[in-house]
RNA sequence: GCGGAAGUAGUGUAGAGGUUAUCACAGGGGCUUCCCAAGCCCUUAACCCGGGUUCAAAUCCCGGCUUCCGCACCA
């Protein structure tokens, strides 16, 4: 059987990346089992999404690869977990209760909302840092301020906190919040882990978990969510001695838009260091760059760091870069993560708040460890993967994910609904399912089944045919393995399948 | 939150006061075929939610929810 000759091979490069807007991508996600609005049978709720049987696997794979790459390859970095429900005190200490708290003011006529500090400074009125709502109201009255848009009267200033309140206890009088970032769980556990891990720095604490923000306007699919999943690594270190090993990154060119120039540049680590970025920061830029470009396969031109400064930079960050991917359905480069040098802000805040010293020692020197935060939005990254790797032509839809990210690693497809073929196929399924997530499908034509697997990104389709079970055939005991992107097929002995898949799927995951 | 547009089987859609609510794909059953989304027959399945107008509402009106686009917001 010379099936290869009959295949109308289409080079994967010839299949264009599908042009997708948000609705197209949401439609794809719904029809393939990726994700859709939570509680959708009741009409859904803005900013909340559920993952389906395909999306949940993709998400899990992303998280596992992230964990393996950023955490498990470093002997000083560890995975922990923390509650999503927080008592009030740590969030007062961290500044979230106050700072996460914008004062909003609305026009009574056109109902436009403004941030009080922004509105007043635009109108030439200076407010003190941390002004209260009544101070804002007083300033509005004193200066007879009107809505800049419609000239209407301004309403009362009201605090708006991005955190979601929770009332605890039998009379619901204990005040808590859903955590606004996983980072806080790491800071709260630093002291114990630092001692458990024998007081060594650097110490990395990673958390993959949920965080909650009461976004005013959740939008754009998985971009702005009220409940989101973060994968974060908080590295605690001695700022006078943290010097990671750069060998292996010296030739890398990293796309970065520095704040001072605002222009995209492709710089080597040494060039970045000579521009004044600390070596430990640059090292982690290189690590992140490799993750996106090599492990996830993001094209060079679609990946960059964007440095934030001035108003855009959070007050506690010393260096703040967004990790950005060009996502067509989101209309351009969008933030999927961040690399933040937070200095000693976090541990100092929690030392003050808790009266628990978190100082580390190095010789005679006592110091508060600094924090470098690697923060990733898992949902945003999942969306970006689909956007980047969904390809479409007239008769083919293809999700060309890296094999190790694909929800199913392989599909087992009996060529025909024949008892002997089916029995062999099921036996093969059981054998492979011990090591891989495999899909079994015996319904429909073989072409239709290939197409279904292409659309959810299954990298390999294993077909059991008559030759497989024909002891007179030279192909006895072997199956065809079809590669998703090239559609090329090779014959592999069933006894070799496990090795074949292991090495093929993990290629690139060095 | 504001303004505009929209919400019909699982998916994509037609339908503009009275239809057994259109078509395709998907799903189920059957016949046939078997390495790249084959064909034929049968079949399951929908008007976002709640009010109102009307003899009659998927269709018109009001409210809610959700989505998209723009604005605002996004320590």
């Amino acid at each position: 059987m010379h099936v290869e000759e009959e295949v109308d091979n289409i080079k994967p490069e010839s299949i264009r990346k599908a042009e997708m807007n948000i609705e197209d991508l949401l439609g794809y996600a719904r029809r393939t089992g990726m994700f859709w609005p939570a509680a959708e049978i009741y009409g859904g709720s803005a900013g909340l999404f559920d993952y389906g049987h395909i999306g949940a696997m993709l998400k899990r794979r992303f998280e596992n690869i992230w964990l393996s790459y950023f955490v498990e390859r470093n002997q000083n970095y560890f995975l922990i977990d923390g509650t999503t429900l927080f008592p009030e005190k740590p969030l007062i200490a961290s500044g979230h209760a106050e700072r996460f708290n914008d004062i909003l003011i609305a026009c009574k006529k056109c109902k436009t909302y403004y941030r009080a500090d922004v509105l007043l400074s635009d109108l030439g009125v200076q407010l003190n840092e941390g002004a209260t709502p009544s101070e804002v109201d007083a300033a509005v009255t004193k200066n007879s301020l009107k809505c800049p848009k419609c000239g209407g009267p301004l309403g009362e200033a009201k605090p708006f906190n991005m955190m979601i309140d929770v009332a605890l206890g039998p009379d619901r009088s204990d005040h808590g919040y859903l955590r606004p970032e996983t980072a806080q769980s790491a800071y709260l556990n630093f002291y114990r882990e630092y001692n458990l891990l024998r007081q060594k720095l650097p110490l990395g604490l990673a958390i993959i978990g949920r965080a909650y923000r009461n976004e005013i306007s959740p939008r754009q699919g998985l971009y702005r969510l009220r409940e989101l999943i973060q994968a974060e690594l908080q590295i605690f270190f001695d700022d006078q001695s943290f010097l990671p090993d750069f060998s292996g990154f010296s030739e890398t060119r990293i796309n970065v838009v520095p704040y001072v120039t605002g222009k995209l540049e492709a710089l080597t680590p040494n060039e970045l260091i000579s521009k004044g970025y600390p070596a430990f920061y640059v090292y982690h830029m290189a690590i992140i760059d490799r993750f996106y470009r090599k492990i996830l396969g993001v094209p060079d031109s679609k990946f960059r760091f964007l440095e934030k400064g001035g108003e855009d930079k959070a007050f506690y960050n010393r260096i703040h870069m967004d990790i950005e991917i060009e996502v067509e359905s989101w209309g351009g480069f969008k933030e999927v993560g961040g690399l933040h040098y937070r200095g000693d802000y976090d541990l100092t805040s929690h030392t003050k708040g808790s009266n628990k010293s978190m100082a580390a020692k190095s010789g005679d020197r006592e110091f508060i460890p600094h924090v470098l935060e690697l923060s990733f939005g898992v949902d945003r990254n999942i969306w970006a993967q689909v956007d980047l790797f969904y390809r479409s032509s007239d008769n083919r839809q293809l999700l060309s994910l890296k094999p190790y990210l694909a929800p199913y690693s392989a599909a087992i497809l009996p060529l025909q609904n024949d008892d002997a073929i089916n029995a062999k196929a099921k036996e093969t399924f059981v054998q492979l399912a011990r090591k891989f997530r495999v899909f079994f499908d015996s319904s429909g034509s073989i072409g239709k089944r290939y197409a279904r697997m292409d659309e959810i990104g299954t990298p390999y389709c294993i077909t059991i045919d008559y030759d497989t079970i024909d002891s007179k055939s030279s192909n006895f005991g072997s199956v065809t393995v079809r590669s998703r992107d090239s559609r090329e097929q090779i014959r592999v002995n069933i006894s070799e399948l496990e090795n074949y898949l292991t090495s093929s799927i993990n290629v690139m995951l060095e």
Side-chain angles (χ1 to χ4, degrees), chain A residues 32 43 50 61 63 72 110 122 133 148 167 184 188 234 242 292 315 323 344 385 393 397 402 425 429 432 481:
Chain A
T32 52
D50 282 348
R61 298 239 192 267
E63 291 167 349
E72 292 174 350
C110 69
D122 284 355
Q184 293 305 322
L188 297 184
Q234 311 294 326
F242 190 25
Y292 276 98
F315 66 94
I323 299 162
D344 63 359
Q385 284 291 306
S393 68
Q397 280 78 42
K402 290 290 184 190
F429 175 86
L432 291 179
V481 179

Side-chain angles (χ1 to χ4, degrees), chain A residues 47-99:
Chain A
L48 299 174
F49 278 82
D50 282 348
Y51 286 89
H53 68 287
I54 298 298
M57 284 195 284
L58 174 55
K59 180 167 80 64
R60 180 62 61 90
R61 298 239 192 267
F62 178 87
E63 291 167 349
N64 285 345
I65 285 165
W66 182 89
L67 184 66
S68 157
Y69 180 84
F70 285 105
V71 181
E72 292 174 350
R73 291 178 196 197
N74 190 310
Q75 60 180 339
N76 301 313
Y77 297 172
F78 306 89
L79 178 71
I80 64 169
D81 207 351
T83 61
T84 55
L85 181 53
F86 266 51
E88 191 172 30
K89 281 182 182 170
L91 294 168
I92 292 172
S94 70
H96 283 87
E98 185 192 340
R99 295 267 187 173

Side-chain angles (χ1 to χ4, degrees), chain A residues 117-127 143 145:
Chain A
D117 55 336
V118 173
L119 177 68
L120 268 63
S121 88
D122 284 355
L123 297 174
V125 178
Q126 286 310 309
L127 269 183
N143 297 284
L145 300 180

Side-chain angles (χ1 to χ4, degrees), chain A residues 365-397:
Chain A
R365 198 163 55 89
E366 198 168 270
F367 61 96
I368 303 290
H370 285 208
V371 169
L372 181 67
E373 172 184 69
L374 283 67
S375 174
F376 301 81
V378 172
D379 315 272
R380 289 179 176 188
N381 276 283
I382 297 302
W383 180 285
Q385 284 291 306
V386 174
D387 182 283
L388 285 170
F389 294 113
Y390 185 67
R391 283 152 214 284
S392 179
S393 68
D394 291 345
N395 48 12
R396 239 193 132 191
Q397 280 78 42

